[in-house]
Amino acid sequence: MPQTHPFLDEQRRSVAAACHRLAEAGLLIGTAGNVSARTGDRVAVTATGFVLGRAAPEQVTVVGSDGVVVAGDLEPTSELELHLGSSAS
C-alpha cells in the first residue's frame, strides 16, 4: 500500500519542479519523456500519460528499488525499468 511521508513528498515535489524547469526550457513536449530522481533506495518517477510541464507532485510516483510503488496513486512510467537501471548505485 502506498505511503505518505514528508521525505517521499519532497521527492515528488522535486521531480515535479524539474519537469516544470525542463518544459520552460523547451526540452519537454506534452507527454513525451519522463523524469526521475533517486534518493537512497527510492526512485521518484513521473507517471505515465500526463503532460510533464503541468506536473503536480501528486502525479509523481515513488517506487522502491524493486519497482514496488511506495507513494502515489498513479501508474509509474512504462519505462520504469530503464529509470531503475540508470539510477542504480
Side-chain angles (χ1 to χ4, degrees), residues 44-89:
V45 62
T46 50
T48 192
F50 72 93
V51 177
L52 297 170
R54 292 184 285 203
E58 299 77 27
Q59 295 172 310
V60 176
T61 301
V62 181
V63 299
S65 57
D66 56 1
V68 173
V69 174
V70 296
D73 296 322
L74 300 176
E75 184 78 23
T77 174
S78 60
E79 297 172 346
L80 178 60
E81 291 300 319
L82 173 73
H83 289 265
L84 290 174
S86 67
S87 65
S89 19

